[in-house]
């Protein structure tokens, strides 16, 4: 195992616990909670120690809703090649694998995510490939693209929306789980399902997030 990968895994194991997200209790993930120092650090404190915001350490509402939708509707991914974009903890990728996808690739540019996905996939007994490249704008050798909770930043959303439309036009099923983020594009979306997802007030300033699964195109 490369030294950096081992270091990331050691950090994750030291700063998280195995937790089942409330809306997807079939899946266990290495997540931070109130008992861990990682939970309480601000972005400024994390930056001071050279750690990017640990999005991989939390089960965000959009990902929980999308993962729930896949487990309840496995025909969406069964036997198909799936890419989980901005995977974070790997929650949605794991749900796709459990739902019977022929192959799942988790994508994220955060260097901690490869270690997080590897640990979480092993806990759940599934195989997940990983890609650390910035794939935005590229064509994908896939049948389905999944993205949980990605429209939280204007500049990021402005890059994603045309790419998702491009992939949809190419015949790829593009599904997004979104809990009402500000920069969700409103055009060319089809509502597939809606969930009331329990979340942590410290993250979302609420205890329940209404989360919608949308299809592009």
């Amino acid at each position: 195992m490369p030294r950096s990968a081992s270091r990331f895994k050691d950090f994750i194991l030291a700063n998280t616990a195995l937790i089942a997200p409330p809306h997807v209790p079939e899946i266990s993930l290495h997540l931070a909670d109130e008992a861990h120092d990682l939970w309480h650090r601000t972005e400024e404190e994390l930056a001071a120690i050279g750690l990017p915001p640990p999005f991989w350490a939390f089960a965000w509402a959009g990902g929980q809703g999308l993962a729930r939708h896949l487990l309840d509707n496995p025909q969406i991914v069964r036997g198909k090649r799936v890419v989980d974009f901005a995977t974070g903890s790997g929650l949605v990728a794991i749900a796709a694998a459990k739902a019977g996808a022929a192959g799942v690739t988790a994508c994220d540019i955060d260097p901690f995510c490869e270690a997080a996905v590897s640990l979480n996939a092993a806990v759940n007994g599934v195989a997940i490939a990983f890609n650390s490249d910035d794939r935005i704008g590229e064509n994908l050798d896939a049948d389905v693209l999944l993205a949980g909770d990605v429209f939280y930043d204007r500049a990021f959303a402005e890059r994603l929306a045309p790419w998702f439309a491009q992939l949809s036009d190419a015949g790829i099923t593009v599904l997004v789980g979104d809990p009402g983020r500000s920069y969700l594009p409103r055009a060319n979306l089809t509502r597939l399902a809606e969930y009331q997802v329990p979340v942590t007030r410290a993250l979302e300033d609420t205890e329940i997030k209404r989360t919608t699964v949308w299809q592009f195109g």
Side-chain angles (χ1 to χ4, degrees):
M1 177 187 299
R3 186 189 217 169
S4 60
S6 177
R7 176 170 61 86
F8 290 146
K9 285 189 175 182
D10 289 345
F11 179 90
I12 291 168
L13 292 171
N15 287 278
T16 63
L18 275 177
I19 297 170
H23 207 61
V24 199
E26 302 95 324
I27 294 174
S28 294
L29 303 170
H30 290 275
L31 301 174
D33 65 10
E34 291 90 337
H36 295 98
D37 180 58
L38 187 63
W39 176 274
H40 300 283
R41 294 195 181 209
T42 66
E43 286 194 29
E44 290 76 15
E45 290 173 322
L46 293 169
I49 61 173
L51 181 68
F55 296 123
W56 52 266
F58 305 102
W60 300 92
Q64 288 197 57
L66 184 52
R68 178 78 270 150
H69 191 65
L70 297 178
L71 293 175
D72 291 347
N73 300 275
Q75 72 279 2
I76 294 171
V77 295
R78 185 184 294 128
K80 297 178 180 178
R81 302 162 299 160
V82 175
V83 170
D84 178 29
F85 174 77
T87 190
S89 67
L91 170 58
V92 176
I94 291 166
K98 282 182 167 288
V104 182
T105 299
C107 297
D108 207 298
I109 61 172
D110 185 329
F112 279 85
C113 287
E114 183 171 8
V117 169
S118 175
L119 289 168
N120 291 332
V123 165
N124 291 279
V126 296
I128 306 290
F130 190 86
N131 187 302
S132 61
D133 297 334
D134 183 348
R135 306 299 304 276
I136 299 175
E138 294 183 5
N139 294 322
L140 297 179
D141 185 20
D143 303 303
V144 181
L145 176 84
L146 306 170
D149 224 332
V150 292
F151 289 107
Y152 53 84
D153 175 82
R154 182 190 297 276
F156 195 39
E158 288 175 350
R159 295 183 67 204
L160 289 183
W163 182 47
F164 286 177
Q166 169 193 325
L167 295 176
S168 177
D169 289 344
I172 296 174
T173 299
V174 178
L175 301 185
V176 173
D178 186 86
R181 299 300 183 204
S182 298
Y183 304 109
L184 176 74
R186 298 297 173 182
N188 299 317
L189 293 179
T190 300
R191 184 193 303 264
L192 300 183
E194 188 173 286
Y195 301 96
Q196 301 296 321
V197 179
V199 293
T200 302
R201 182 172 288 277
L203 287 178
E204 299 283 10
D205 198 29
T206 185
E207 294 179 352
I208 299 289
K209 265 291 196 186
R210 186 175 68 182
T211 297
T212 303
V213 177
W214 301 96
Q215 180 170 344
F216 267 70

